[in-house]
Amino acid sequence: MKINLQKFLLAIAILYAILGMYFMYGLPIGAGDEGVFISDLNYINQYGWIEAIKKGISVPHAILVYPLSLVFEPYFALRLLNIILLIVLYCYFLYRNKASLTFFFYLTFFIGTCKVFFIGTNDSLFILCLAIFFNEIHQFNLGKRWKQSLALSVLIVCVFTRALVVMYLPALIICFLFLYKIKGFSKKGYLLPIITFILFMVINVPAIQSNGRLSYDKKNPPENVNVNWAQRQYLAQLLVNEGKLSSHQHPSFKATQEYVDENGEDSLPRTLFEGILFNPKLTLIEFFKDALDIFKYGTRQLGLILIIVLVFLAHNFYKKKIFNFENSIPLALLITIFVFSLVIISFIELRWFVAIFIATIAFYTYLEQTDKISKWISKLNVAVTFLLMIYGFIKIIPLI
């Protein structure tokens, strides 16, 4: 793209993201998961840090947002922190990747579509840390030395921020295997990660002593029920399949408890991983449905990038370039899609993929800059992304 066209598209994408932010800020305060984190801040103020950690909070996120909450209302502090983290994300890519206007066009359109940075949850911190880690892996692909100390430190912060990191474990293992294969580890890059790990382990001692696990934010069910979120999510999909519930909706905890009372303790799986083998036929059906949804809605957020990157991976596999480090990010993307499609029986939330999608955007721009894909494909992707953005304008403007 010529520089003037790049600037024009980036300007439109920025306007699109601002409208998305304006729309999200117009939603009721505490809507969705934002209410959980407002509650966590209030709990810290009322009962202190030790009791809050025992109860379950996202420790790294709470440490960052708490000082802001001393100045601003909790909901505003949460949203302000996420805007700060978004600025850090842009500054990181500007400094580390010397990212082009084209990259920022795709990234800004994506941010405006997913809108996860515009609501007060800990998703933004989790995404920032994981995206930095994956991008540092990508730096090897560019022939650069990765910043090992930074990458491992942010990954540790990520681990202590959200339990969701376990879903990324297969992708992370693949990345580490690639690094090990090319001897990418340095003896000098462990001091900060070790200090970071020890610090958060010490802070988590109250939770470990009380609950035998790390402290994470929890959406606790009412005290009068004995069912959990995994059971509620599994029942949601059963009811959707029976036509008794709309897609992307959950039954209440009360309704879930009533279902268990009526059908027995073993009528619903108690964990997400237990749900994989609970009904193998349902798991297989939902695997393909979820994978299709990821590609469908992922294309809405990324244009043709998702498809192009995975086709590039398939081409490398066809050429028997399986262990080429160039495959690390596309393979991490594919494995992440596979894991979520397999484990999540109910509906997929694309906010879970934001970190790997950001890394995928960086990888795609690498393909463009190194002429590994046709310029016509690049132009087609720009056109598709622009049309999707226009469609987004049409959809969001009446809602503001």
Side-chain angles (χ1 to χ4, degrees), residues 32-33 35-37 39-40 43 51-57 211 213 215-230 232 252-254:
D33 289 349
V36 174
F37 296 94
S39 175
D40 286 347
Y43 198 95
E51 290 303 317
I53 292 169
K54 288 180 181 179
K55 176 191 77 71
I57 59 173
N211 310 311
R213 60 179 182 271
S215 177
Y216 292 112
D217 59 279
K218 295 186 295 185
K219 292 180 275 189
N220 293 321
E223 294 182 359
N224 60 338
V225 300
N226 295 312
V227 292
N228 57 35
W229 261 97
R232 187 183 181 190
S252 66
F253 275 112
K254 181 181 178 182

Side-chain angles (χ1 to χ4, degrees), residues 239-260:
L239 295 178
V240 168
N241 291 346
E242 293 173 5
K244 298 178 180 178
L245 190 69
S246 299
S247 183
H248 291 74
Q249 298 294 318
H250 284 111
S252 66
F253 275 112
K254 181 181 178 182
T256 307
Q257 182 67 64
E258 290 173 352
Y259 182 90
V260 171

Side-chain angles (χ1 to χ4, degrees), residues 87-381:
I87 294 171
V88 171
L89 179 72
Y90 273 75
C91 290
Y92 165 78
F93 276 106
L94 185 62
Y95 161 74
R96 186 69 172 118
N97 293 38
K98 303 296 188 291
S100 65
L101 292 176
T102 303
F103 167 80
F104 285 117
F105 161 62
Y106 288 127
L107 177 62
T108 304
F109 166 71
F110 175 62
I111 295 298
T113 303
C114 71
K115 301 180 181 67
V116 71
F117 281 88
F118 306 142
I119 191 168
T121 70
N122 67 345
D123 285 330
S124 297
L125 179 60
F126 179 83
I127 290 164
L128 173 67
C129 293
L130 201 52
I132 289 175
F133 174 82
F134 281 128
N135 188 66
E136 288 301 323
I137 298 296
H138 173 58
Q139 294 307 301
F140 256 134
N141 184 43
L142 301 176
K144 300 178 182 178
R145 194 73 185 170
W146 73 318
K147 293 184 179 296
Q148 179 178 308
S149 181
L150 171 65
L152 295 180
S153 297
V154 295
L155 182 58
I156 289 168
V157 172
C158 185
V159 168
F160 285 95
T161 298
R162 286 202 67 181
L164 183 69
V165 72
V166 71
M167 300 290 282
Y168 275 94
L169 189 58
L172 294 172
I173 290 173
I174 286 295
C175 291
F176 281 119
L177 287 175
F178 271 106
L179 288 168
Y180 177 77
K181 183 177 182 295
I182 63 171
K183 300 179 180 179
F185 293 101
S186 168
K187 294 180 181 179
K188 298 180 180 180
Y190 291 105
L191 180 59
L192 181 59
I194 289 173
I195 292 173
T196 304
F197 177 78
I198 292 173
L199 173 64
F200 282 115
M201 283 300 294
V202 170
I203 295 174
N204 272 269
V205 166
I208 295 170
Q209 289 179 333
S210 298
N211 310 311
R213 60 179 182 271
L214 298 176
S215 177
Y216 292 112
D217 59 279
K218 295 186 295 185
K219 292 180 275 189
N220 293 321
E223 294 182 359
N224 60 338
V225 300
N226 295 312
V227 292
N228 57 35
W229 261 97
Q231 291 170 298
R232 187 183 181 190
Q233 287 180 318
Y234 200 94
L235 178 60
Q237 193 58 53
L238 294 180
L239 295 178
V240 168
N241 291 346
E242 293 173 5
K244 298 178 180 178
L245 190 69
S246 299
S247 183
H248 291 74
Q249 298 294 318
H250 284 111
S252 66
F253 275 112
K254 181 181 178 182
T256 307
Q257 182 67 64
E258 290 173 352
Y259 182 90
V260 171
D261 291 341
E262 182 178 342
N263 295 279
E265 290 285 331
D266 298 325
S267 58
L268 294 173
R270 292 188 172 277
T271 67
L272 289 176
F273 292 99
E274 183 182 325
I276 296 175
L277 297 176
F278 190 78
N279 183 337
K281 181 179 178 181
L282 178 63
T283 299
L284 186 63
I285 292 172
E286 294 305 323
F287 170 81
F288 288 106
K289 285 172 59 178
D290 288 346
L292 185 61
D293 279 347
I294 292 169
F295 280 100
K296 176 183 175 182
Y297 296 110
T299 300
R300 171 66 184 88
Q301 293 185 336
L302 293 172
L304 301 178
I305 289 177
L306 191 63
I307 297 170
I308 292 170
V309 168
L310 291 179
V311 168
F312 177 82
L313 176 65
H315 178 264
N316 273 0
F317 275 25
Y318 177 75
K319 294 291 185 179
K320 298 183 179 179
K321 299 178 180 179
I322 298 174
F323 298 106
N324 188 330
F325 197 80
E326 195 175 47
N327 295 333
S328 56
I329 295 302
L331 194 54
L333 169 66
L334 181 63
I335 290 173
T336 302
I337 292 173
F338 178 89
V339 170
F340 276 98
S341 298
L342 181 66
V343 174
I344 304 299
I345 302 300
S346 61
F347 58 86
I348 293 289
E349 296 185 46
L350 286 188
R351 63 192 176 105
W352 300 332
F353 297 88
V354 174
I356 190 63
F357 280 1
I358 290 174
T360 301
I361 294 172
F363 182 82
Y364 172 78
T365 53
Y366 154 77
L367 294 181
E368 283 192 335
Q369 291 165 354
T370 54
D371 295 323
K372 291 183 179 292
I373 56 176
S374 164
K375 292 190 181 298
W376 286 106
I377 293 178
S378 299
K379 291 178 180 179
L380 177 62
N381 186 48

Side-chain angles (χ1 to χ4, degrees), residues 52-69:
I53 292 169
K54 288 180 181 179
K55 176 191 77 71
I57 59 173
S58 176
V59 173
H61 180 258
I63 290 173
L64 289 176
V65 75
Y66 183 75
L68 294 174
S69 72

